Amino acid sequence: MKKSVIALVVLAAAAGGGVYFANKYAEDVVKQQVEQANQSYRQLAANGDMPLISLTYKDVSANVLTSSYSIAGLEVSMAELGTVATVEQITAKGVKPRELADSGSVHLVGAKAAPAILQMLPPQTSAFVQSLALHGDYSYQYQNDGQLLFNQQTRINDEFSLSYNFTLAQMQQFWQYAKEISALAPDQQQQLVGSEAYAEQIVEKLLTGALNNGAVSIENNGFIERAIAMTAEQGQTPDLQTIQGMALLNISMLEPLPQNMKDALAEFVNKPEKLQLSFNFAEPLQFAKVQSGELMPELSSPEAVIEFANLQLKAN
């Protein structure tokens, strides 16, 4: 009995040690990827394609058991400006070196403008921007039937959010191509992405797919009002009531829109809380048919598009 207990302890210790070293290796891989990104930015800057950008961080952690990785204290610097933005934490799940998982997610917490940017703004605008923190959630899932699901939500404090979700169909060829690219070494990936053939191949694979349905929504909890009040105080825009009146007038003149959509827009303008636009095709929208012009009759007018895509607009 005692020997069995000792054996279990030894096995547990060995397993724990294996996970520890696996996590350390994964952390080193993430650090290498950040350095590779910095090398790419340096090369682009040297070619005059963009200002010099560099990424630094305070800590990197990994858990191979859950395929999750976190970068804490990320700072984005630009040329002579220094640090222009900071991010409290980025956590990615379903990420594996040189492999594209069938599902994954990214969670971003606390992206903020740094003093180098704030000091370039007028005092009131600087104070407003300083009060903002950006958060985001992004996820995808590829299914065996070729469907590819995307979800993303971007939030500003607890005051505003913009989210979308899309369902793509017949994405087998596109997904297989993406997996092949992910399996390449980083330098091979960079060389491929920089080639003319890459864009052509991506478009070729994408044209084999289709769009099923999706939705885009806005949720406001005082952010729009606060932003307009700030710009109006500086004389950059009219006040909220004036803007609402102008918007309502414009909505009334949108002849192609059905009345229920006009009513939804008017309701949101009067009380800006939530607005959602959704679509759901009776048959998946083939990207190849859109490119060839075969669907032009169904897309020839706003009314035709609304009917073809079963567009729905809802407020609050």
Side-chain angles (χ1 to χ4, degrees), residues 18-122:
V19 170
Y20 170 80
F21 286 110
N23 287 345
K24 293 296 292 181
Y25 172 76
E27 290 170 6
D28 289 340
V29 170
V30 174
K31 293 176 182 178
Q32 291 172 8
Q33 290 177 338
V34 173
E35 178 53 33
Q36 288 168 0
N38 283 331
Q39 289 178 0
S40 298
Y41 296 149
R42 287 193 290 268
Q43 184 61 50
L44 289 169
N47 295 338
D49 296 327
M50 60 180 286
L52 178 59
I53 294 176
S54 63
L55 306 176
T56 58
Y57 53 85
K58 292 182 179 178
D59 186 45
V60 170
S61 60
N63 187 330
V64 295
L65 296 179
T66 59
S67 297
S68 63
Y69 305 83
S70 292
I71 299 177
L74 183 69
E75 294 188 358
V76 182
S77 300
M78 181 180 295
E80 292 82 11
L81 291 177
T83 302
V84 295
T86 61
V87 180
E88 186 177 328
Q89 187 168 0
I90 298 176
T91 302
K93 293 185 178 181
V95 180
K96 299 179 181 180
R98 298 182 66 173
E99 183 178 344
L100 179 61
D102 286 340
S103 65
S105 65
V106 176
H107 179 56
L108 181 146
V109 178
K112 297 181 177 181
I117 294 297
L118 296 174
Q119 66 185 7
M120 299 171 63
L121 303 173

Side-chain angles (χ1 to χ4, degrees), residues 247-260:
L248 291 172
L249 178 60
N250 288 330
I251 290 170
S252 68
M253 295 188 295
L254 294 174
E255 294 301 332
L257 285 186
Q259 190 59 46
N260 63 334

Side-chain angles (χ1 to χ4, degrees), residues 143-217:
Q143 301 178 339
N144 292 332
D145 61 359
Q147 288 198 112
L148 183 58
L149 286 62
F150 284 104
N151 290 276
Q152 181 168 339
Q153 183 186 61
T154 302
R155 304 180 303 282
I156 300 175
N157 300 343
D158 58 354
E159 300 175 279
F160 185 86
S161 73
L162 171 64
S163 59
Y164 72 76
N165 64 80
F166 296 120
T167 301
L168 302 172
Q170 304 167 22
M171 299 299 289
Q172 291 92 334
Q173 291 190 38
F174 178 86
W175 196 250
Q176 180 59 38
Y177 181 66
K179 290 177 77 73
E180 291 171 359
I181 293 176
S182 299
L184 299 175
D187 57 336
Q188 292 177 309
Q189 289 186 26
Q190 186 173 350
Q191 184 178 1
L192 175 62
V193 171
S195 68
E196 295 182 0
Y198 175 73
E200 296 177 358
Q201 292 168 358
I202 284 289
V203 171
E204 177 187 348
K205 302 301 181 183
L206 189 59
L207 287 176
T208 63
L211 179 62
N212 259 351
N213 55 65
V216 180
S217 64

